[in-house]
Amino acid sequence: PSLSLSFDTAIANYDVFKTILKRKSSSSGTKSRNEEAIDTNTQAYARSQADRWSAMRDRDWIEDQVMIYLNSDKRYDSPEIGELEVTLASHSVYKSLSEAEKLQVLNNLPTDLVVAYLLIENCSQRFEDADVQDMLDQISSFTSLGLYEAWGND
């Protein structure tokens, strides 16, 4: 699946959520050609299902645990997060952040300087407060649309 972030090695929680949802929705209730062929022989089909279940059990458990965490505050089911990501991509401060800092910003949505300083290494030395505040104002404009409330923050 294509991810909306341009990073090769890291993805935001939002992208993990969308990827898992897409995989689960595409695999639920559909049989592959191989499964349909095996379906004619129910004993072989039962063995293949048992083997498949065994092989996928760990992956499914991990996905379930990740989805429980991501669904805990409903933050990733909002279409505004994708729009925010596009808006931030053109901001000078956001462009200068490391991959980890970009992920922190997307996953935490800071709306004040104190939180930004916690998420961005050497923030005061790398950026002017006015530039950081401008980025935070962009984030706040999206959070005022209900995204922040959907994330369970006050």
Side-chain angles (χ1 to χ4, degrees), residues 69-148:
Y69 170 75
L70 295 177
N71 279 320
S72 66
D73 55 12
K74 305 295 180 201
R75 67 169 105 186
Y76 306 105
D77 204 16
S78 174
E80 287 89 9
I81 189 71
E83 295 171 31
L84 174 61
E85 187 178 351
V86 170
T87 301
L88 287 177
S90 64
H91 196 279
S92 62
V93 171
Y94 189 79
K95 284 183 190 178
S96 302
L97 298 178
S98 70
E99 287 183 20
E101 291 167 335
K102 288 177 182 179
L103 288 174
Q104 289 286 20
V105 168
L106 286 175
N107 290 339
N108 293 293
L109 292 182
T111 55
D112 58 45
L113 283 172
V114 173
V115 177
Y117 275 57
L118 292 171
L119 299 177
I120 301 170
E121 188 175 341
N122 300 322
C123 188
S124 63
Q125 297 164 355
R126 293 168 54 198
F127 308 109
E128 295 293 324
D129 284 347
D131 294 335
V132 175
Q133 187 60 53
D134 183 50
M135 180 182 74
L136 297 175
D137 290 342
Q138 286 184 348
I139 293 170
S140 294
S141 71
F142 279 88
T143 60
S144 67
L145 295 174
L147 179 60
Y148 200 64

Side-chain angles (χ1 to χ4, degrees), residues 5-63:
L5 287 177
S6 60
F7 312 138
D8 291 333
T9 58
I11 58 174
N13 291 350
Y14 167 76
D15 294 308
V16 171
F17 178 78
K18 292 298 181 189
T19 301
I20 291 174
L21 276 182
K22 186 175 182 177
R23 192 200 65 74
K24 284 187 176 219
S25 68
S26 69
S27 66
S28 63
T30 59
K31 288 184 180 180
S32 68
R33 282 185 231 151
N34 192 26
E35 287 174 328
E36 289 174 359
I38 293 173
D39 206 10
T40 58
N41 183 343
T42 55
Q43 189 176 27
Y45 179 71
R47 276 195 310 270
S48 73
Q49 288 299 92
D51 292 344
R52 182 184 181 281
W53 182 83
S54 177
M56 302 309 220
R57 182 181 57 210
D58 293 336
R59 184 208 59 195
D60 291 344
W61 181 85
I62 291 169
E63 283 183 352

